[in-house]
Amino acid sequence: MSAVSWVPVVDGSPFPVANLPYGVARVAADRHVVVAIGDRALDLTVAADLGLIDDPDRHLAGPDLNPLLAAGRPRWSALRARVGELLTDRQFAAQVTPLLLDRHDLPLVLPFEVADYVDFYSSEQHATNVGRIFRPTQPPLPQNWKHLPVGYHGRSGTVVVSGTPVVRPHGQRRTESGPAFGPSARLDIEAEVGFVVGTPTGLGRPVSTASFGEHVFGVVLLNDWSARDIQSWETVPLGPFLGKSFATSISPWVVPLEALEAARLPGPRQDPAPLDYLRPSEPWGLDLTLEVSVNGQVVSRPPYAGIYWTADQQLAHLTVNGAALRTGDLFASGTVSGDAPGELGSLIELTWNGTRPLKLTDGSTRTYLEDCDTVSISAFAPAVGGGRLGFGAVAGTVAPAIPPPAY
């Protein structure tokens, strides 16, 4: 979609007409489906009520995107085409203008009800760095890492929208005298890309890499907050649990897959070649550059283009055993890191587990996050027709730990 919108869009806006990401906003006492265009947001719920958009099955009625997600690719494409028509054909300006809301003052909510959440571990650079930190005398990558996309099941109930405070979690930590209980002292972030599932499947029916576009609606930014001290003590033998499940933040705007056509590229060469069910049939790598800020200071720009296991392979792997997809499923890339020091997607890497403190412009340093710190992750990608499009941001501020009840 490369036509020019009659709605003013300033140069460099993350939301040109080539983007048109979906969100959900509180409007009066209700929740409406909206789409971002420049500094405005078009109220699709009202547009459908007025007959400007054909919506016989009430996919746009709210209170979340799940009815639209479940409708499938033909409906997604038709709706995107119609929204583009409303915003580029000036004959609709008089009818549409009253439906444009100020995007900056819009109270956005979690855009979809999350069904299941799976987090992967698919950046070779990140996995190598973490392996060197935690297992310095062993090979950094586990034996299985280049044969399958390693992942774990997260907790969908603690996926929250950008802006939600993140309370410092309690848990067990390892000390020289044995396990101790208390607030995490090594609170970290993970800069990730998340994929939102629309069309469900039945139990026992794997999804091939070729069917990725039939099931995945769009993309969000994701911060999988991590308590490294809790995580390192509990991980053996089963993997992440309390060190991850307390909060996962996502951006409020879901960028449709169709908006990312110009960003698609092949993933990196995989050696050894993956098994047949993991072989890509189309290029589903994405030329995205993330930007991580701590208290307003950019500390890293991780490149997603280098991710080893791409999203189509992740989807094929998480369903190959017959696990069913549900509308609203969310799966994430895992921490995105590049080769250079300024391309690392977590503090455990940026500070090498606290041994190389990060210097901020206010003169302070960080090894891990302190209370009241704010972390924001944004991203940009090439847009169809030229220029670039953005994802908005996923941000969160660390709130002090809440004392647990007396036991």
Side-chain angles (χ1 to χ4, degrees):
M1 186 178 298
S2 58
V4 176
S5 173
W6 54 262
V7 179
V9 179
V10 300
D11 289 343
S13 169
F15 302 130
V17 72
N19 192 346
L20 302 183
Y22 294 88
V24 175
R26 288 193 298 270
V27 180
D30 298 316
R31 294 188 176 191
H32 290 194
V33 177
V34 296
V35 68
I37 175 71
D39 291 329
R40 314 292 285 175
L42 173 60
D43 191 327
L44 298 187
T45 299
V46 175
D49 288 343
L50 295 176
L52 289 170
I53 297 174
D54 186 27
D55 190 31
D57 295 317
R58 302 283 289 166
H59 295 145
L60 304 176
D64 51 44
L65 292 176
N66 290 60
L68 176 61
L69 300 181
R73 176 62 58 192
R75 173 59 174 149
W76 306 338
S77 297
L79 176 61
R80 179 172 170 80
R82 177 56 175 169
V83 172
E85 183 182 26
L86 292 175
L87 294 173
T88 57
D89 191 334
R90 192 167 288 277
Q91 70 167 311
F92 297 109
Q95 294 168 285
V96 171
T97 296
L99 310 184
L100 294 174
L101 309 171
D102 186 339
R103 179 172 61 81
H104 298 289
D105 291 334
L106 206 55
L108 297 168
V109 300
L110 194 68
F112 57 97
E113 183 179 354
V114 181
D116 286 310
Y117 168 51
V118 173
D119 193 31
F120 283 95
Y121 187 49
S122 292
S123 165
E124 183 176 2
Q125 294 88 341
H126 172 71
T128 299
N129 288 335
V130 171
R132 286 173 175 159
I133 289 170
F134 286 130
R135 300 181 301 276
T137 62
Q138 302 175 32
L141 293 179
Q143 186 178 9
N144 64 353
W145 199 91
K146 287 198 171 182
H147 294 275
L148 55 83
V150 174
Y152 76 93
H153 284 278
R155 186 166 182 163
S156 60
T158 49
V159 176
V160 296
V161 72
S162 175
T164 304
V166 175
V167 178
R168 185 179 296 274
H170 281 78
Q172 287 193 30
R173 298 169 288 154
R174 177 169 41 201
T175 70
E176 292 183 0
S177 58
F181 178 81
S184 171
R186 293 164 54 193
L187 186 59
D188 198 358
I189 57 101
E190 293 187 339
E192 305 192 25
V193 177
F195 296 85
V196 183
V197 172
T199 311
T201 61
L203 195 65
R205 298 182 178 274
V207 175
S208 68
T209 57
S211 298
F212 174 78
E214 297 175 22
H215 294 278
V216 173
F217 175 80
V219 179
V220 295
L221 299 180
L222 185 146
N223 184 351
D224 198 35
W225 303 83
S226 300
R228 299 297 184 188
D229 42 3
I230 298 173
Q231 179 187 359
S232 64
W233 174 234
E234 73 182 0
T235 292
V236 179
L238 291 184
F241 187 39
L242 300 185
K244 297 277 192 174
S245 63
F246 58 96
T248 300
S249 301
I250 65 170
S251 53
W253 298 106
V254 184
V255 175
L257 278 191
E258 289 173 285
L260 297 172
E261 283 298 315
R264 290 176 58 179
L265 43 71
R269 180 177 176 273
Q270 294 177 325
D271 184 16
L275 297 179
D276 286 349
Y277 79 94
L278 288 170
R279 290 182 181 172
S281 62
E282 297 180 64
W284 275 113
L286 293 172
D287 183 11
L288 313 182
T289 299
L290 284 67
E291 187 172 273
V292 180
S293 297
V294 177
N295 298 337
Q297 177 182 332
V298 177
V299 298
S300 180
R301 291 185 172 90
Y304 179 81
I307 203 81
Y308 190 87
W309 294 106
T310 54
D312 56 329
Q313 295 175 306
Q314 292 171 342
L315 186 67
H317 186 65
L318 74 87
T319 61
V320 74
N321 66 344
L325 293 178
R326 294 198 291 168
T327 297
D329 279 356
L330 173 68
F331 65 98
S333 61
T335 306
V336 179
S337 289
D339 294 314
E343 296 178 341
L344 304 176
S346 63
L347 289 176
I348 192 172
E349 296 170 273
L350 285 165
T351 71
W352 210 251
N353 199 23
T355 62
R356 307 169 188 169
L358 188 68
K359 295 181 180 180
L360 301 182
T361 53
D362 64 1
S364 64
T365 60
R366 292 291 186 279
T367 53
Y368 288 96
L369 295 174
E370 297 182 3
D371 290 350
C372 301
D373 281 348
T374 296
V375 177
S376 179
I377 303 169
S378 57
F380 283 91
V384 174
R388 65 179 191 168
L389 57 81
F391 292 71
V394 54
T397 299
V398 179
I402 299 173
Y407 297 107

